[in-house]
Each structure stands twice: as C-alpha cells, then as structure tokens.
C-alpha cells in the first residue's frame, strides 16, 4: 500500500520547550552547527528524515575532508572520545582526519544525538502571528502517516541538502548552510565542485554560522535570544530570503538577456529583409 493512501492522523503543536533554534538535516553541516551551539549552551533541536542505522556512500579511496582537523580542534571533539576507541586512533594517526564518512558522522553525533529527532520529513515551515517559526513534519508508522507541528522557534537553519525545504520558505529568520546554500553559489558548475568539496564546505559553514550566532546572541532565563545583530554582509550569505532574492535576480537577468538576444536576432532578420526588398525594387 502506498503512503498516500495510508490513514493520516494529525496531532497538535509539539512545544519546542527551551529550544530557540531548529536545524533541519543532521549531516555534516547540521551536526557541526549543533556542536557549536551545544558547546555554548544555546538551545537547539535537530530534525532529520533518516533513521538509524544509517548507510554511507563508500569509495575506493579514503574520505578526504581537510576541514575536519580544524573542526575537531574548534569543537574539542577529542575530549568526548574514548581513549581506546578506533575513532581516537584514527584521529591521532591521520592528524584528526577520519578515513570514512561514518567516522566523521559518528564523531559529530556523539554530543548532540539526544537532541536529534530522527525519521522526520519536513513538509513546510511557516511563521505565525507571534512572529515565531513552526515546522510541519511527517512520520510514518506501520499503518499511519502522522503529521505534527513543532515550535515555536526563533530561527530555523536549513542543512537539508540541494532540495532544501528551508530554501523554498525563503524567510528572513531562516539560514542555509552546506549544500542548501552552496548549490546557489555554485549554480554555474552543475554541481561538480560541490561533489568534490561538499562535506568540507558544509562543516566550514556550520562553524562559521555557529560562531556568528554565538557572538551576536544573548540568551535570557527563558532561553530566548535577546538580540541578533549580525553583520549584514555575513547575514546575507546564509539568509534564505537573501539567497532567494539572488536566485530571482539571476533568473530575471538571464531571461532579460535571452529576450534581448531574440529581439536583436529578429530585428537583424527584418532589417536584412527590407534591405533585400529595397535592392530588388531598384
């Protein structure tokens, strides 16, 4: 039986409690950002469409993520590693760079795993009258499709890949990192650069946005961000609304150029026709 025909049950809003930031996507970018927030006691919650156990893409060569050595040092991940663990051995023997995707994900998951909501497919994000963001997500059981709404959140971070639902929402209180942002910046290379450096860029984005949020934020006793005075240029780099405007502007420019080329071609064609007709009359 297809999911679309399964009985659907909808629950009320699930309170986010003491969480002011929601992160959609628990992979390289989302987990890195979560670790930054975790280390600075900023409340957060992660949502991911997958559920354990995970499968990882494997290849014939070691997984090279140059940024991981820096990320491991900034997040102080080695403090939580078991001295006898394979991950610690790999980290020390390869200058902090694990050799597989599984090693990277496991090292980033360790601290934040209890704040991850697995098996949550985000449907949409909306802003309500209280100026807070709410996440609509679905979950499948053996016989039901369950739709839930979680919130309120002050900010949502989209780390949900190329087909980001957060990018579609295009709200000023939504930030994009990793592939969700990178696909907009590197649209012209058809994704080849992103494939080669995707994980690297994702973790760097997580660190950069995390530091910006930590530096610009103050939290009150109710775990609410009192202020967020980010530099406009840096904010626009990650802001979903700004990225959406950039994409729209680019589409308008491309369409305008295309129409100009067609217009110029038609004008040249008609000019040549009149020139030939006038020559024949003479």
């Amino acid at each position: 039986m297809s999911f679309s025909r399964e009985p659907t049950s909808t629950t009320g809003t699930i309170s986010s409690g003491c969480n002011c930031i929601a992160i959609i996507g628990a992979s390289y970018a989302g987990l890195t950002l979560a670790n930054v927030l975790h280390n600075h006691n900023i409340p957060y919650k992660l949502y991911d469409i997958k559920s354990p156990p995970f499968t990882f893409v494997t290849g014939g060569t070691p997984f090279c993520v140059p940024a991981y050595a820096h990320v491991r040092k900034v997040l102080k991940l080695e403090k939580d590693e078991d001295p006898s663990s394979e991950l610690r051995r790999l980290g020390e023997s390869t200058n902090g760079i694990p050799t597989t995707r599984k090693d990277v994900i496991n090292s980033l998951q360790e601290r934040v795993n209890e704040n991850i909501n697995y098996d949550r497919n985000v449907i949409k994000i909306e802003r309500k009258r209280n100026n807070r963001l709410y996440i609509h997500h679905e979950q499948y059981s053996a016989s039901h499709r369950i739709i839930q709404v979680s919130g309120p959140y002050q900010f949502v971070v989209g780390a949900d890949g190329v087909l980001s639902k957060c990018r579609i929402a295009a709200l000023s209180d939504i930030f994009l990192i990793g592939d969700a942002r990178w696909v907009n910046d590197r649209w012209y290379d058809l994704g080849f650069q992103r494939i080669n450096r995707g994980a690297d860029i994702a973790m760097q984005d997580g660190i950069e946005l995390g530091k910006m949020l930590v530096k610009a934020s103050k939290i009150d006793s109710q775990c609410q961000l009192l202020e967020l005075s980010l530099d406009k240029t840096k904010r626009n780099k990650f802001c979903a609304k700004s990225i959406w405007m950039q994409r729209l502007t680019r589409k308008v420019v491309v369409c305008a150029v295309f129409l100009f080329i067609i217009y110029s071609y038609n004008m040249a064609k008609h000019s040549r026709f009149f020139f030939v007709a006038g020559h024949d009359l003479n």
Side-chain angles (χ1 to χ4, degrees):
M1 181 181 295
S2 65
F3 286 142
S4 60
R5 294 182 181 179
E6 290 183 357
T8 301
S9 58
T10 304
T11 65
T13 300
I14 302 174
S15 174
S16 61
C18 190
N19 294 290
C20 51
I21 297 177
I23 304 171
I24 312 300
S27 191
Y28 306 106
L31 290 173
T32 301
L33 174 61
N35 274 275
V36 175
L37 301 178
H38 181 89
N39 290 350
H40 291 85
N41 299 314
I42 296 179
Y44 66 93
K45 186 67 72 174
L46 283 132
Y47 296 88
D48 197 89
I49 191 173
K50 301 184 298 294
S51 58
F54 302 117
T55 56
F56 299 90
V57 178
T58 58
T61 58
F63 183 47
C64 181
V65 190
Y68 183 79
H70 173 67
V71 169
R72 186 170 182 262
K73 182 178 180 180
V74 170
L75 299 179
K76 301 178 181 178
L77 296 176
E78 67 278 2
K79 288 187 176 182
D80 291 343
E81 295 171 0
D82 184 341
S84 61
S85 70
E86 180 71 7
L87 188 60
R88 169 63 73 88
R89 185 187 69 77
L90 286 170
E92 292 176 347
S93 63
T94 60
N95 193 29
I97 303 176
T99 56
T100 69
R101 289 167 170 80
K102 183 177 180 180
D103 292 332
V104 175
I105 294 296
N106 287 346
S107 67
L108 294 172
Q109 274 182 339
E110 192 164 352
R111 287 180 185 166
V112 304
N113 199 48
E114 63 181 18
N115 284 336
I116 303 176
N117 287 320
Y118 293 109
D119 195 23
R120 299 292 194 278
N121 180 32
V122 174
I123 303 172
K124 69 174 182 177
I125 301 168
E126 67 171 340
R127 180 190 285 136
K128 294 190 176 181
R129 292 181 179 179
N130 60 358
N131 207 32
R132 290 293 183 263
L133 300 173
Y134 291 80
I135 300 172
H136 297 248
H137 51 84
E138 61 184 359
Q139 183 179 18
Y140 292 104
S141 66
S143 59
H144 282 77
R145 173 176 177 253
I146 304 170
I147 299 177
Q148 298 173 323
V149 181
S150 297
Y153 292 102
Q154 285 183 275
F155 301 99
V156 172
V157 179
D160 48 344
V162 175
L163 303 177
S164 173
K165 299 289 180 62
C166 298
R167 189 173 61 244
I168 295 173
L171 298 173
S172 59
D173 295 333
I174 295 178
F175 299 106
L176 303 176
I177 57 177
D179 284 350
R181 178 193 70 83
W182 179 246
V183 72
N184 180 70
D185 286 354
R186 302 288 303 196
W187 60 275
Y188 50 84
D189 68 3
L190 302 179
F192 290 108
Q193 186 74 0
R194 179 184 59 78
I195 292 172
N196 292 330
R197 298 184 56 203
D200 216 40
I201 295 295
M203 286 190 284
Q204 291 182 56
D205 275 2
I207 291 290
E208 185 176 353
L209 180 61
K211 287 182 175 180
M212 288 167 55
L213 291 172
V214 169
K215 183 178 180 180
S217 305
K218 292 182 180 179
I219 303 178
D220 65 9
S221 58
Q222 280 73 46
C223 299
Q224 297 296 301
L225 297 178
L226 294 178
E227 62 180 61
L228 188 62
S229 54
L230 296 177
D231 176 82
K232 185 176 180 181
T233 302
K234 292 182 178 179
R235 182 184 179 113
N236 287 344
K237 176 180 178 180
F238 298 105
C239 178
K241 185 176 181 179
S242 298
I243 291 174
W244 180 82
M245 289 298 296
Q246 292 171 17
R247 291 169 66 89
L248 179 62
T249 301
R250 186 164 59 241
K251 289 179 180 179
V252 171
V253 170
V254 170
C255 288
V257 171
F258 182 70
L259 291 174
F260 176 76
I261 292 174
I262 293 176
Y263 174 79
S264 299
Y265 173 78
N266 287 332
M267 288 297 295
K269 187 176 179 180
H270 284 88
S271 297
R272 186 171 181 273
F273 171 78
F274 288 124
F275 173 78
V276 172
H279 182 72
D280 290 342
L281 289 175
N282 292 332

